[in-house]
Amino acid sequence: MATVRLSDVQFDEDVYLSYLQEDRTDRNAYIASGVAVTSNELQARANGEGGLTSIPFWKDLDASSENNSSDDPTQKATPDKIGTGKMAARKIFVNNGWQAANLVSSLIGNEDPMRQIASRTSAYWEQRFAARVQAITLGLFNQNDAGSGDMIFDASTEDGANATADNKWSFDGFVDARATMGESADNLALLAVHPDTLTQMIKQEKIEFVTDSQTGVRIPFYNDYRVVEDKKLPVIAGTTSGFRYVSVLYRQGVIGYGEGSPRRPVAIEFDESAGNGAGIETLWERKEWLMHPEGYKFTDASVADLSPTIAEFETAANWSREFERENVGIAFFVHN
């Protein structure tokens, strides 16, 4: 248990200076860029019963054959049929609490640690949401890497310190990764890269910055793909030396999500006897999320508790692809 105490607060007893909030450097761009979108179906299921939910889907018609027409009455055509399948998603039940001693507010004047904590919880949950998107992405990569590898183009070398231009980020490699989507490649629109990779791209003068007219934020683009800079993308140590980076191409909306309604999403807890009677205040927040990549089944093969952890979302055995490759809007480019 962590409690904000007087020793954690820096202030001048005579002239109190306003506190400065240190914003976190990692930002959630997945919702803003459209990778993760609210799904009406998942929203409804997020408020339903149980922790694991099945999502049925229609399979496409088989377009591999046809019948040649005939005037022979004895020739009978056999009709085809349409099939169904099921995706499966696991609900996420998470919470966190933040605590402060009442005496802190009394001694430092107008500043209130709990008010400051409450002003930052929204940003905190955005980052936890992004961490789940990142874990799902890594889980799909690990599952495909251990299997067919048909979603991955790998140009890297295990001797990263001696990588050539062919092993590093390149337009050719980008096109080859895109090509793993086949004729559905046009659906890809977003590109997530590690900051080290973005540095390579800027040095190659391949990044175009577009200023958002409403926010003034400069958004990077690469060949009309919006670029998301993400320091949590996989960085794999080379067997011999150096590192291998995993960059990800996404279709907009490939990850759907819904948000459930915990019985008490926000609660304030008071312990009046703590602090030898001065009192302790705790803010609790609870979230119920249902997040799922289109085309996959969460197998639940390796989950210890009620909700999958970040590490369990990253586990290859917990994922099974149910859609044909071209219908899954994610592609991976591995490079040095």
Side-chain angles (χ1 to χ4, degrees), residues 63 77 100 117:
I117 288 170

Side-chain angles (χ1 to χ4, degrees), residues 250-271:
Y250 293 96
R251 176 179 59 77
Q252 283 189 320
V254 67
I255 295 178
Y257 71 92
E259 186 162 359
S261 302
R263 183 169 182 176
R264 295 192 58 160
V266 179
I268 303 294
E269 181 180 2
F270 298 97
D271 187 348

Side-chain angles (χ1 to χ4, degrees), residues 34-38 42 129 133 136-137 250-257 291-294 330:
V35 168
V37 298
T38 302
L42 292 180
F129 185 96
V133 173
I136 289 171
T137 300
Y250 293 96
R251 176 179 59 77
Q252 283 189 320
V254 67
I255 295 178
Y257 71 92
M291 304 167 59
H292 195 69
E294 187 176 34
I330 299 179

Side-chain angles (χ1 to χ4, degrees), residues 183-201:
E183 62 186 16
S184 299
D186 286 345
N187 294 330
L188 298 170
L190 298 144
L191 173 62
V193 299
H194 189 275
D196 290 351
T197 301
L198 184 60
T199 298
Q200 287 187 45
M201 298 163 75

Side-chain angles (χ1 to χ4, degrees), residues 166-182:
D166 290 339
N167 304 125
K168 298 180 179 180
W169 175 272
S170 67
F171 177 73
D172 286 350
F174 162 78
V175 171
D176 286 334
R178 180 182 178 277
T180 65
M181 280 282 293

Side-chain angles (χ1 to χ4, degrees), residues 24 26-28 30-31 92 94-96 98 120-136 232 285 287 289 291 308-311 313-314:
R24 299 180 65 94
D26 47 347
R27 295 166 294 177
N28 178 16
Y30 288 96
I31 294 177
I92 305 164
V94 289
N95 71 82
N96 208 345
W98 299 269
R120 296 301 301 164
T121 59
S122 177
Y124 167 83
W125 289 116
E126 285 180 0
Q127 292 163 46
R128 298 314 305 154
F129 185 96
R132 295 284 174 169
V133 173
Q134 292 152 349
I136 289 171
K232 294 185 179 68
E285 293 194 6
K287 298 290 184 181
W289 290 327
M291 304 167 59
T309 64
I310 293 292
F313 266 133
E314 295 173 349

Side-chain angles (χ1 to χ4, degrees), residues 14 20 38 100 107 153 155 197 200 257 290 296 310:
D14 297 320
L20 296 177
T38 302
L107 291 179
F153 176 72
T197 301
Q200 287 187 45
Y257 71 92
L290 185 56
Y296 274 84
I310 293 292

Side-chain angles (χ1 to χ4, degrees), residues 25 28 46 51 64 145 220 223 233 266 329 331:
T25 57
N28 178 16
S64 63
D145 189 44
N223 285 281
L233 285 172
V266 179

